[in-house]
Every structure is written in C-alpha cells, then in structure tokens.
Amino acid sequence: MSRTEEKGILRKQIWAELACLTKSEMERSDEALFEQFLALPEVQSANTIFGFWGIAGKEPDTAKLIARLLEQGKTVGLPRMLPGRQMEVRVYDPAVPMVKASFGILEPDVSCPVLKKEEIDLVLTPAVAYDEQGYRMGFGGGYYDRWLENYSGKTVGLCRKCVLQKQVPVEPHDAQVDVVVTEERMIRCK
C-alpha cells in the first residue's frame, strides 16, 4: 500500500472518530486547545500570526481563537487558495466579509492586503491529525507543505488528543511543526 493510500484510510478513520464527538465535547476541546495555544511563549511574542478558518466537524472552530488574537492586538493572516495548488496569506479584517472558496472553505477577500512570509512570526498549521514528532497529515492537497518549504518562523499545530497519532505516514515533502498542542499538553518537536 502506498503512503497516499495509507493517508486516505487514516483520514477516514479520524473523520469517523471526530464525527462521534458531541457539540459540547468539541467546544470543550476547542477551549482547552486555545488556552494551551495562547499560553505558548511563541504566540505571546508573535505580532503576526498566519491562522486558518476551521472546517466545522473536522477542525477546531478557530474563529473564536482568531477573535481572541485580534483582541490582543495581533495581526492575523488567513490563507487564500491560488491556481496550481499554491496559496497566499491575506490579512483578516472582521469588517470585510469572507468569501466561499473550494470545498466550502472561507477565505479573505482579495481586497485584504497580502502578507509576505517574512512578515509572519508564527503559523498555526491545520491538519487532519498530527503525530508526536510534529508531522502532520493534511487534507491531501499539499498547499501547506509547499507554502512552508521556505518559511523560517515558528510553526504550531492544534490536535485533539483523541486523534493524536504515534506516527502518521510521512513522505519526503511533508512538513513538520515546531510544537503540537493538545488539550492537555504542548509537545516540542524540533
């Protein structure tokens, strides 16, 4: 079986596990994840954070986390998909409506300013799941692996403890994060 096939099977297992969580379990998990994330020294010292808008039922509800980061005076960027499986980061402005893109994902409008990699202090990297070494299993498009290739700032992943893996299938292009945050702990990986 190829790594791609292994990842596909594991994604389905994880999504099935997440589908069993109640709304209140998800909300409690999100709050604990966000508290752990906000307590990281790397987050506290960051001025500009590249976040993501969570997909309901598959990712934490990061809209709440983004609001808290904005309250702290941080600049938050969100991804905008581009042709050729590329992406850019645009400043999130709550006054500018988000637009619906592929797969129902919400993105910043093109009127929002672009952030360059060197302007970003920390990336909150989305994933279906992480392992204890900081390797992520994404959704399969490779957008983040490509974007992170030449990024030199800090990277953090949020992972519900129920889907934290001992090891995810890894390919040479797969990006590793510096820190994985669960509801109960921070795992330093690099």
Side-chain angles (χ1 to χ4, degrees):
M1 181 182 315
S2 72
R3 292 282 188 209
T4 302
E5 291 168 328
E6 285 180 63
K7 288 179 180 182
I9 291 167
L10 184 55
R11 275 188 200 97
K12 288 177 184 170
Q13 291 170 347
I14 290 167
W15 287 331
E17 187 155 348
L18 290 172
C20 294
L21 296 176
T22 66
K23 184 178 180 188
S24 66
E25 287 172 328
M26 290 277 225
E27 289 170 354
R28 282 194 305 275
S29 170
D30 285 356
E31 189 54 36
L33 286 167
F34 301 160
E35 288 303 318
Q36 290 277 39
F37 177 77
L38 292 168
L40 285 171
E42 296 91 337
V43 173
Q44 293 172 6
S45 66
N47 294 315
T48 303
I49 295 174
F50 173 13
F52 65 92
W53 204 262
I55 300 170
K58 294 186 178 179
E59 296 175 312
D61 182 6
T62 55
K64 295 173 184 174
L65 176 60
I66 291 167
R68 289 172 71 178
L69 291 168
L70 293 174
E71 287 169 8
Q72 294 178 8
K74 304 205 184 279
T75 299
V76 176
L78 294 174
R80 185 170 176 85
M81 301 305 138
L82 300 172
R85 293 189 178 214
Q86 298 295 316
M87 69 179 178
E88 64 186 4
V89 183
R90 291 195 176 253
V91 175
Y92 171 66
D93 181 347
V96 178
M98 301 273 276
V99 295
K100 199 171 267 195
S102 307
F103 311 108
I105 296 171
L106 294 174
E107 298 180 334
D109 187 73
V110 293
S111 64
C112 297
V114 173
L115 284 170
K116 296 178 183 154
K117 283 185 187 182
E118 57 272 13
E119 297 176 293
I120 299 167
D121 301 310
L122 184 142
V123 179
L124 177 58
T125 313
V128 174
Y130 282 92
D131 67 21
E132 294 177 352
Q133 295 74 44
Y135 286 102
R136 60 184 282 279
M137 187 177 63
F139 287 81
Y143 289 90
Y144 277 85
D145 292 317
R146 276 188 282 289
W147 191 91
L148 289 167
E149 273 179 15
N150 301 314
Y151 177 69
S152 58
K154 297 295 179 189
T155 54
V156 178
L158 299 178
C159 187
R160 297 185 199 284
K161 64 183 176 188
C162 67
V163 296
L164 179 66
Q165 306 293 303
K166 287 283 182 208
Q167 187 172 14
V168 296
V170 177
E171 296 177 81
H173 64 268
D174 288 331
Q176 180 187 27
V177 295
D178 297 305
V179 182
V180 174
V181 174
T182 73
E183 296 92 331
E184 298 171 349
R185 61 188 181 137
M186 300 172 205
I187 305 166
R188 300 223 170 249
C189 307
K190 288 186 181 177

